[in-house]
Amino acid sequence: MSAEFKTSKPIYSQIADRIIQQFVRGELSPGEKLPSVREMAIQSGVNPNTIQRTYGELERLGVVETKRGQGTFMTEENDMKRKLRLDIQQEMIAAFIENMRSIGLEDREIHESVNRFLKEGESGHD
Amino acid sequence: MIELTHITKEYGKRKSLNDVTFTFEKGKVYGILGPNGSGKSTIMKMMAGLVYPSKGIVKVGEKKADRKIASNLAFLASEGMLYPSFKIDQMIDFFHSQYSDFSMEKAEELLVFMELDRHQKVSQLSKGQQGRLKLLLVLSRQTDVLLLDEPFMGLDPMVRDTIVKGLVSFIDYGKQTVIITTHEITEIEPVLEEAIVLEKGQIRAHCNVEEIREEQGLSILEWLKSTFKQEDVS
């Protein structure tokens, strides 16, 4: 089945996010070859032009490298994975804090609540 | 490239299309969306050269659309494409004999992809199998233009998914101009580049699918609803 896409973001950037996440989780290794535009389009059930844009965007970010006549490869630059992991962390934290504030919690309370959760684990709330 | 210049189609007093002007660019994938009776099928039949406009000109490539246009255009009609007494392989042979651009190699690939049994009779096929066979027949041809009129009609979600995958796998992107009419917008959206909304025989809106997401954060279905809502209020 083709993957579902959120409406809030262009499809090309959602596929880029997915590739970055796979890289950070170690499902894609540095220097690994990505599927061709066509293959990736078939896997994701989208127009190949969309994948072309995804790869272009990832190249701009320095996450992938396109080698002429060979295809697209994950970067081998050492620092990239760490940098991407930090970026994702920042994004997730920002979204979490925004949510907590929107239900009226003070920063101090957010702090306490996170600490308690980490100590007791999820089971502590049951 | 397909050019529609001020086309109008009248059936008696009713106007099925009313002064439509539009250019479909080469190599792009278009969706024509709109409620029943909005003129979707008429526009498709006109581009296929099966229906002539009452006024205006339809040009496919450099040629005026008429019956002969079919030599460079594949048309998946919503009805009446298959012969019930034929077996699948007879249907394939028939198409092969009619169109010089029909590729037996592609047809063989598609038989596997669509999971069809060549010995089965058309009359014994389920709706889903018939939908897949129709797509096989048009995708096996190597034409500049591919017209699909309601390729998902009456098909379940699994078959629709197979059909979308088939399109992605077998369309010649950048070379083939593909035009699809449908109600099943969500499934086809990731394949489309441009969407056109028809209503009461006129083009109400035209957009680039990714731009709508980028600029307005909307899927085509949501955009469609918001477009129609705004108009209703004003």
Side-chain angles (χ1 to χ4, degrees), chain A residues 16 19-20 23 29-32 34 53-66 72-84 87:
Chain A
I19 292 173
I20 288 174
F23 183 56
S29 325
E32 187 171 335
L34 287 171
R53 235 178 129 187
T54 300
Y55 284 5
E57 179 70 8
L58 288 173
E59 192 164 14
R60 202 181 58 77
L61 296 171
V63 180
V64 305
E65 260 178 81
T66 301
T72 305
F73 299 82
M74 294 310 295
T75 183
E76 292 185 79
E77 202 195 309
N78 289 326
D79 216 28
M80 186 50 82
K81 197 163 166 177
R82 197 183 57 81
K83 226 181 90 196
L84 291 170
D87 287 351

Side-chain angles (χ1 to χ4, degrees), chain B residues 123-170:
Chain B
S123 59
Q124 285 158 1
L125 298 179
S126 68
K127 256 196 157 177
Q129 288 168 324
Q130 288 188 14
R132 268 141 52 198
L133 176 59
K134 277 159 74 170
L135 198 69
L136 175 151
L137 294 171
V138 293
L139 286 177
S140 297
R141 293 186 56 199
Q142 280 147 343
T143 54
D144 290 341
V145 179
L146 177 60
L147 303 177
L148 308 174
D149 195 9
E150 300 284 358
F152 302 116
M153 201 156 64
L155 304 182
D156 66 56
M158 293 304 290
V159 178
R160 296 205 292 255
D161 195 64
T162 308
I163 288 187
V164 169
K165 284 250 156 97
L167 286 176
V168 180
S169 314
F170 291 94

Side-chain angles (χ1 to χ4, degrees), chain A residues 1-14 38 41-50 53, chain B residues 27 29 157-158 161 164-165 168-173 186 189-193 210 213-214 217-219 222:
Chain A
M1 285 285 262
S2 26
E4 299 292 324
F5 296 100
K6 285 179 278 193
T7 59
S8 49
K9 241 182 167 186
I11 294 171
Y12 83 88
S13 78
Q14 293 184 48
R38 187 79 175 199
I42 294 168
Q43 280 175 27
S44 329
V46 307
N47 191 304
N49 289 329
T50 307
R53 235 178 129 187
Chain B
V29 184
M158 293 304 290
D161 195 64
V164 169
K165 284 250 156 97
V168 180
S169 314
F170 291 94
I171 289 176
D172 201 354
Y173 286 95
T186 310
E189 179 174 355
V191 181
L192 301 180
E193 284 161 89
E210 286 281 75
R213 281 172 183 261
E214 204 148 20
L218 298 175
S219 71
E222 291 168 328

